[in-house]
Amino acid sequence: MLMQILKDVAVVSGISTLLAVVLIIAQKYLSDYGICKINLNKKRDVSVEGGSSLLNSLAEEQIFLPSACGGRGSCGTCKCKVNSGGGPLLPTEKPFLSKTELADNVRLACQVKVKSDMEINVPESIFNIRRFQAKVHEIIDYTYDIKGITLKLVSPDTIDFQAGQFVQIESQAYAKIKQKVVRAYSISSKPQDNDRIQLIIRLVPEGICTTWIHKYLEEGSDVTFTGPYGDFYIRDTEADIIFVAGGSGKAPMKSMLEDLQVKGTTRKMTYFFGARTAKDLYLTDEMRSFEQVFSDFKYEPVLSKPAPEDKWKGKTGFVMPYFQDAIRDPKNTEAYLCGSPGMINAVKKSLIAMGVPDDKIYYDSFG
Amino acid sequence: MKKSPLEIKILSKMQPGEITLNGFLGEDSRDLYDIIAEDERTLETLGVSANELADKMQYFTDKSSDSFMDSVEIDEIFIVDTEVVRGKLPCPFSHPGIYRKTITTLTNKKYNITIRWTALNIHLIKEHHFFEGKNSAFRLDPQVLLKALFA
């Protein structure tokens, strides 16, 4: 009896395995979608081999949509409008899409499989995104948990970006980490130094990519990244500027100020940098030196909880109460913010209450 | 016992380097469902639900998130600090949604206990009754958690 049961189980298992193998082979040989045409923005066609994700198919054609998870469907950043040929919406996409996006045919490119000709809309800015090979040129310890990493470009050997934009670093396998991850970091150097980029990176507890960068990268290490991404950049107006940043949020502001130094400006600018204690401050002398460069610039570090040993004589508490003295005409003021969502929300609320127009508040919220 | 395909998938996502640097299981070699079941038994003995613990954790995270540059003191007992770093994490159980990388640190002055949790920890406890494996970086022992959260 027992032998018969075991025999039956073995037969059923064998049939199941055989069917699985047949399905895999069928998938490989019968699901041949051939060459599919992807029309971008009704302007340009690319031909790709069907069967891969839209994200990967575009990447093969050197068209890079932002993706922080490497196409695993967990970050929700590779959004694009799929007008036709995308197939039905998948349950894996729904949590990442708003009602407006759903109505507007927005999809996650990593979840959409290319099976037929498609028509999609992507931001024009992504056509400038490239994959770069670079080498670590310099590593600077800014604080106990923040490093400045300069990458010298190898191929392509120059990059065209706007101050405030970011790149996506691809970490490599290390220690017990078997696969690469992709993470976004703002460029902190100026666009005019186009043969290199500097990044300011804070070590994140349990962070796979930041641990690789902080503990495993050394001068001469190879690094791959894509970019530039993002629409956080200085608007070309004559309005006064308020910069507000915290932690590694200093990176895009540094790039913007160095860029303005090259281009020249007479705009009134105030830069508030929020930190907890003096040990969280960095690049203070460099930022203060801009007070000598620009005709109307002030750097204001604010410590929320200075330690007694800091002997801090500067501004304390939240940054918001100090805005009043820095803003002379709220309607003619632009704000550039980079930091945690909590900081962004509180600062935005305060600026709007003071009369700064909502549409003149630009920000890069961590995430 | 043979693991189901779902358990294998979940366990693979809990390994080091998949979602977090050191994974969710620490040095725990028990089956995933045994880890959860033991913590559920502890909750039953303590007379508290995973939902109650998760709600209290969320309460402290929300309270301290408003004070983004400093810690807050709540009820003269709890010192709470929530820090947000760049990025988001998915749930290893493949639950829809992603969770911002926040770390809340709570010190209960009455019992002199300090614990920390992430936004993902709250979700894992509330929806999956999963407090992470023993010696995992963000393991939250239900007994310690209860003592720390409710003075």
Side-chain angles (χ1 to χ4, degrees), chain B residues 98-109:
Chain B
I98 43 176
Y99 302 86
R100 197 173 277 286
K101 285 185 186 174
T102 63
I103 299 171
T104 300
T105 306
L106 175 142
T107 298
N108 181 319
K109 292 197 290 180

Side-chain angles (χ1 to χ4, degrees), chain A residues 146-179:
Chain A
I146 294 178
K147 283 182 191 288
I149 314 280
T150 302
L151 303 175
K152 181 91 168 64
L153 306 185
V154 176
S155 175
D157 57 6
T158 58
I159 182 170
D160 180 20
F161 67 95
Q162 287 181 286
Q165 289 191 293
F166 66 91
V167 295
Q168 295 198 152
I169 296 278
E170 297 173 6
S171 74
Q172 300 303 314
Y174 67 95
K176 54 191 170 187
I177 309 300
K178 301 284 179 274
Q179 55 189 1

Side-chain angles (χ1 to χ4, degrees), chain A residues 72 74-75 95-96 174 176-177 179 184 202 204-206 208 211 274 276 304-305 317-318 340-343 346 364 366-367, chain B residues 16-23 67-71 81-87 90 96-98 100-101 103 137-138:
Chain A
R72 289 191 237 175
S74 60
C75 71
F96 299 99
Y174 67 95
K176 54 191 170 187
I177 309 300
Q179 55 189 1
R202 185 175 177 202
V204 174
E206 283 290 285
I208 298 171
T211 300
R276 294 196 176 201
S304 62
K305 205 169 190 177
F318 286 106
S340 68
M343 186 208 90
D364 177 1
F366 289 171
Chain B
E18 285 294 321
I19 293 175
T20 61
L21 182 64
N22 290 301
S67 177
F68 58 91
M69 285 174 67
D70 204 354
S71 53
D81 176 31
T82 291
E83 195 180 4
V84 182
V85 293
R86 195 179 278 276
I98 43 176
R100 197 173 277 286
K101 285 185 186 174
I103 299 171
F138 280 88

